[in-house]
Amino acid sequence: LKLRKFQRADVNRIKKHHLRVLVASAPGTGKTAVAVSAILETGRWSLPALVVCPASVTRHWKREFRQWGSGLRVQIVEAMKTPLDPEADIYVTSWALLDPRGLEFSGLKLRTVVADEIHFAKNPEALRSQALYHLTRRPHMGILALTGTPIINRQEDLEAIYALYGTRKPPMIRRLLEDVAKDVPAKRRSYLYVKLRDRAQAEYDRAGDDFETWLRKEKEKLLGEGMAEDAVDRCMAAEAFTKVGYLRRL
């Protein structure tokens, strides 16, 4: 994969500031690819690195390292009992595990910390915030903080993030999607068709059949009570969302 022109400029700026940058670009501008590329190109002095992110995107980060950071050994630390691989270049963990396993991470002699969705650390009194501050106290530590919303609610929130860098004005990259729209590729969607086990498929089919029956009877009932057809349709649409949600869970 090849970085786009504006992403290359961002990587160069991050390297210029020794990976101590707040990347506050809008969603869709490729913050993850920029961060991974900056680490890959400075691996001689930026590894090992820890990525702290919401639990729901730990595997997304591993995929991004596979695409943009080929050759780096990545370990997802997803539980309290996950043993740390001393040979890993990159450790990816969730915000929830940052404090409970903070001492272990400190023992890895990390050179870079990537804090994805840095607003998770906006409260300096929170244990995860304190764990992050502790990890980033080493001199010359790379600190890449990523967020699409640099100012959350209050000025104090932003200042808590700045405190990680020990300055009131750390280097910041802020790109809006409309500014780089011509360089951003169109959205691509892929569809994955999953064959359910026979027992699960039977349960899904039964729920689907019941849904159709319920929908038909409910509409007939409401029309019979004198409700206008357009009002019935609006009501049915809202009710249908509930039923569709149930089918999705199945």
Side-chain angles (χ1 to χ4, degrees), residues 197-210:
R197 294 188 177 90
D198 291 343
R199 183 175 177 179
Q201 185 68 56
E203 182 179 2
Y204 183 89
D205 291 342
R206 186 167 59 252
D209 292 341
D210 291 345

Side-chain angles (χ1 to χ4, degrees), residues 17-28:
H17 290 285
H18 305 285
L19 275 68
R20 294 178 64 86
V21 177
L22 172 58
V23 184
S25 297

Side-chain angles (χ1 to χ4, degrees), residues 106-119:
S106 295
L108 295 172
K109 297 182 179 179
L110 299 168
R111 294 181 177 178
T112 304
V113 173
V114 179
D116 187 18
E117 305 291 358
I118 188 59
H119 51 268

Side-chain angles (χ1 to χ4, degrees), residues 40-234:
L40 178 68
E41 294 177 17
T42 58
R44 185 167 50 86
W45 50 268
S46 64
L47 297 175
L50 173 70
V51 176
V52 188
C53 60
S56 59
V57 296
T58 53
R59 297 189 181 279
H60 166 74
W61 270 94
K62 187 170 184 177
R63 286 195 301 270
E64 292 291 289
F65 271 104
R66 188 179 302 132
Q67 291 185 25
W68 296 98
S70 179
L72 295 179
R73 184 165 176 167
V74 181
Q75 181 192 19
I76 297 180
V77 183
E78 55 189 348
M80 284 295 295
K81 295 184 178 180
T82 304
L84 299 181
D85 178 2
E87 301 299 321
D89 300 305
I90 307 292
Y91 302 89
V92 181
T93 195
S94 66
W95 283 99
L97 289 176
L98 185 59
D99 173 57
R101 303 202 62 172
L103 287 177
E104 295 173 79
F105 292 135
S106 295
L108 295 172
K109 297 182 179 179
L110 299 168
R111 294 181 177 178
T112 304
V113 173
V114 179
D116 187 18
E117 305 291 358
I118 188 59
H119 51 268
F120 275 64
K122 67 180 182 179
N123 179 5
E125 304 301 320
L127 291 177
R128 64 190 178 199
S129 301
Q130 295 175 13
L132 182 63
Y133 298 151
H134 177 73
L135 276 176
T136 55
R137 290 305 87 190
R138 292 182 61 193
H140 312 299
M141 168 76 76
I143 307 171
L144 276 178
L146 313 184
T147 179
T149 52
I151 298 179
I152 303 96
N153 295 312
R154 304 172 304 161
Q155 177 68 20
E156 290 83 355
D157 297 340
L158 189 59
E159 290 174 354
I161 295 171
Y162 284 174
L164 287 169
Y165 299 91
T167 175
R168 290 184 60 83
K169 196 173 182 181
M172 180 191 291
I173 296 172
R174 174 68 171 164
R175 294 189 184 275
L176 301 179
L177 194 56
E178 54 265 31
D179 297 334
V180 297
K182 65 181 186 304
D183 294 319
V184 176
K187 279 186 177 180
R188 292 180 299 172
R189 290 181 172 84
S190 59
Y191 296 88
L192 179 64
Y193 296 92
V194 180
K195 179 174 173 57
L196 301 176
R197 294 188 177 90
D198 291 343
R199 183 175 177 179
Q201 185 68 56
E203 182 179 2
Y204 183 89
D205 291 342
R206 186 167 59 252
D209 292 341
D210 291 345
F211 171 47
E212 292 174 13
T213 301
W214 169 85
L215 198 62
R216 185 171 57 253
K217 289 183 177 179
E218 191 72 10
K219 187 166 185 176
E220 291 172 356
K221 184 184 75 171
L222 292 174
L223 288 172
E225 293 174 354
M227 184 180 288
E229 188 164 358
D230 60 339
V232 171
D233 290 338
R234 288 196 300 272

